Amino acid sequence: MKLPLMEEREIISRCLAGDVDIFEMLVKKYQSNVIAMGWNILGDKEEAKDVTQEAFIQAYFNLHRYDTNRNFKNWVFSIAYRKCLDRIRKRKSLVKFIQKMTKEDKFSTEGENRKKRIEDSEIFNSLLFRLNGRERAAISLNMNEGYSAKEIAQVLSCKESTARVHLFNAKRKLKMFLKEKKDV
Amino acid sequence: MCKFYAFLYRLIPVKTFQSFLIRKHFSRCLRCEREFLDESRVQEILIMPKSVEAKENVWPEIRRRIYARREKKSELKAKLRFIPSTKWKWAFAASFFLLVVFISVTGINYFLLEKKGIGNISVGYEKNVFVESATIQGKPAKLYFYQPKNRKMSVVWVGPNLR
């Protein structure tokens, strides 16, 4: 489904007028891109789908703030990216909490089970997860969407130079890990 | 990868400098580029949009949640209908603020006067002083006594009795 920029604006203005169902066109157009980015950052498909839903809902309710000169896809990406970072932060605190609990030997069976579940998930096994969230987002946007450093910077809300460094570091680290893997 | 530039990159971990090196060297140098990561290998690791199954449609859930939130919002709006408009809210807040300022200023003033020890003003009677009679132009006058705090003195003044 291809939507020209004018049509996108038209859809947005109809959404603003109260037509919810027309928003489906935008969701259907970009959902797989947003899910893929979320999946790359979070390493979990279900979480990526949740983030995608939340991002589109937030976008819908904030359409009145959306600058029509800006790319809608970029805007949704930046919302989803922030939500992914929130999830990573929450996940880190959950892991810390479980570690603390297992150390203190409280709820040890349940805590250890949860810890094991997290460690066994594809997040920890994937090579991609040797990179930090920003680097994962940068490489995902660059490889999947063909985004330049400037566009990545818009999504990540950082300077272009910083985006360039994230992208470079991501590629460098991946190269290193792939080499390690090959050697093993 | 050129060892010198790789060393510089690791030596100075300042993002602007690293970005400068990337722009000026790594993205231009053929040697570095050749040694750099093969993009097709990265794509093997990454989840691509086309690998997200077509049946993964998030729209029904988004639609349900949008309608639920809108309904909740309209319910809340109906509940808040009796609360005055923003203009009145501001007026109420401003008058409340002024009242608080007035009460605190008066309170502080009273407290300071008490502390300074200005003393008591009594009308017509003071226990240490006795005035037999006071008249103004032949008419009985009113007496005012002022006893400053911590001072052995009394101030008496006379005014016309208006009653």
Side-chain angles (χ1 to χ4, degrees), chain A residues 14-166:
Chain A
R14 279 179 67 181
C15 287
L16 285 170
D19 187 352
V20 178
D21 295 315
I22 195 85
F23 194 59
E24 183 183 2
M25 289 176 84
L26 290 175
V27 173
K28 281 203 167 157
K29 190 187 174 194
Y30 298 124
Q31 63 178 358
S32 52
N33 302 63
V34 182
I35 291 175
M37 188 192 75
W39 197 345
N40 282 324
I41 298 175
L42 296 165
D44 185 78
K45 189 181 168 187
E46 289 310 310
E47 269 198 287
K49 275 169 71 180
D50 280 351
V51 161
T52 308
Q53 284 171 11
E54 285 169 18
F56 276 112
I57 291 168
Q58 192 173 326
Y60 178 83
F61 284 104
N62 288 290
L63 274 178
H64 58 283
R65 287 190 205 150
Y66 168 65
D67 174 11
T68 43
N69 295 321
R70 206 180 156 186
N71 188 338
F72 181 78
K73 188 163 121 186
N74 270 10
W75 188 54
V76 176
F77 270 146
S78 62
I79 297 172
Y81 165 72
R82 281 197 297 274
K83 293 208 174 282
C84 287
L85 289 193
D86 284 346
R87 291 222 170 200
I88 291 171
R89 239 172 269 140
K90 276 183 198 163
R91 194 187 278 166
K92 272 183 190 166
S93 60
L94 176 71
V95 171
K96 266 186 194 169
F97 174 74
I98 290 168
Q99 276 170 349
K100 199 184 163 197
M101 282 297 157
T102 43
K103 258 185 197 170
E104 286 173 11
D105 213 16
K106 283 176 191 169
F107 319 115
S108 56
T109 339
E110 197 198 340
E112 270 174 29
N113 282 345
R114 283 186 86 177
K115 192 183 166 193
K116 201 168 179 308
R117 226 165 44 226
I118 291 173
E119 283 174 352
D120 284 347
S121 66
E122 46 190 315
I123 304 157
F124 284 86
N125 295 328
S126 167
L127 208 55
L128 199 61
F129 280 80
R130 311 263 183 107
L131 314 177
N132 67 38
R134 287 193 176 96
E135 289 164 352
R136 288 199 293 271
I139 199 149
S140 168
L141 289 169
N142 177 253
M143 292 290 171
N144 286 353
E145 310 296 333
Y147 274 22
S148 64
K150 195 179 174 185
E151 287 164 314
I152 294 171
Q154 278 174 6
V155 175
L156 269 56
S157 309
C158 64
K159 282 184 191 167
E160 195 182 329
S161 58
T162 311
R164 198 173 284 125
V165 171
H166 286 323

Side-chain angles (χ1 to χ4, degrees), chain A residues 20-21 40 45 49 169, chain B residues 9 47-48 56 63 70:
Chain A
V20 178
D21 295 315
N40 282 324
K45 189 181 168 187
K49 275 169 71 180
N169 280 342
Chain B
Y9 188 86
I47 309 286
M48 310 294 284
E56 299 293 355
R63 185 178 185 274
R70 275 177 68 167

